[in-house]
Amino acid sequence: MKANHLNALQRDLKPCPFCGGPAKLSPMPNAEHWWKVQCEDYHCGGRNWSMQSPELAAQAWNRRDGQA
């Protein structure tokens, strides 16, 4: 995955629907090819389900699908 593409996906993420904080797109540890988006506010914990690509994870976050 090209860094510029990941940076564009990160930049286009909507704020957290729970607290309004910034969100972060990241790969799942120990799970190659799985990605998640989560709120960067330690006290919030907002996140989406893991998806099989960074594009799917970002789309789900921005649609507010698969929130936990």
Side-chain angles (χ1 to χ4, degrees):
M1 188 69 35
K2 295 195 177 223
N4 289 340
H5 180 64
L6 290 176
N7 289 339
L9 289 173
Q10 176 66 46
R11 185 178 54 250
D12 293 339
L13 291 176
K14 291 181 180 180
C16 177
F18 304 108
C19 74
K24 182 175 182 173
L25 175 67
S26 59
M28 293 292 296
N30 302 318
E32 189 174 341
H33 304 294
W34 286 86
W35 293 76
K36 65 180 176 179
V37 177
Q38 65 185 42
C39 181
E40 291 191 74
D41 183 335
Y42 175 78
H43 299 288
C44 176
R47 65 186 187 289
N48 70 337
W49 296 102
S50 301
M51 303 288 177
Q52 289 186 321
S53 74
E55 295 85 3
L56 290 175
Q59 289 170 5
W61 177 265
N62 287 337
R63 281 192 321 264
R64 310 308 199 210
D65 292 349
Q67 303 273 310

